[in-house]
Amino acid sequence: MAATWAKAPDFADQPARRAAVRAQTVVDKQRYLEDGLTPLRCQACDSEVLVRKSSSHQTSVQWKGDPAAHCPVFAELAAKGNAPGRPDTCPNLEKTIKWAVDEGVIEVP
């Protein structure tokens, strides 16, 4: 039998604990991937993203699809083959997010 490695125990011998861990995972995924996200349309290209500010320095952006299919900046980068090292977002979207924060559309805790 081959040895296996796991980052965390699977609690296979403790069904109640395993169920509790799975339930908490669902809660965590909701909290970190969905809660607090605000729909926002880029003022330059009208692409819609979901945005959350966790602090003045941290911004989470979730695209509703492939950024290159919605944003001209990402489309141009993809056409040039610049996938590695490309920016995390486009400058136009950054400006829109800054505007949304300044206007109170997106809250910063």
Side-chain angles (χ1 to χ4, degrees):
M1 177 182 241
T4 60
W5 179 88
K7 188 172 183 178
D10 68 2
F11 302 114
D13 59 338
Q14 301 174 41
R17 189 163 184 191
R18 187 178 201 173
V21 168
R22 285 185 177 170
Q24 186 60 50
T25 299
V26 170
V27 171
D28 289 344
K29 284 176 76 174
Q30 173 77 28
R31 178 176 175 208
Y32 292 111
L33 299 178
E34 298 173 16
D35 288 352
L37 291 169
T38 301
L40 185 67
R41 289 198 176 276
C42 178
Q43 294 172 330
C45 70
D46 208 37
S47 295
E48 187 174 32
V49 295
L50 300 172
V51 179
R52 174 179 53 232
K53 292 289 288 178
S54 297
S55 73
S56 60
H57 297 290
Q58 192 280 332
T59 305
S60 297
V61 176
Q62 287 188 10
W63 288 83
K64 293 188 169 190
D66 178 12
H70 301 282
C71 172
V73 172
F74 279 108
E76 182 178 342
L77 290 170
K80 292 178 180 177
N82 292 343
R86 71 181 179 191
D88 292 331
T89 189
C90 100
N92 297 323
L93 183 58
E94 287 180 357
K95 289 177 188 174
T96 299
I97 293 169
K98 183 184 179 323
W99 168 86
V101 168
D102 291 346
E103 293 297 317
V105 175
I106 296 174
E107 293 183 18
V108 180

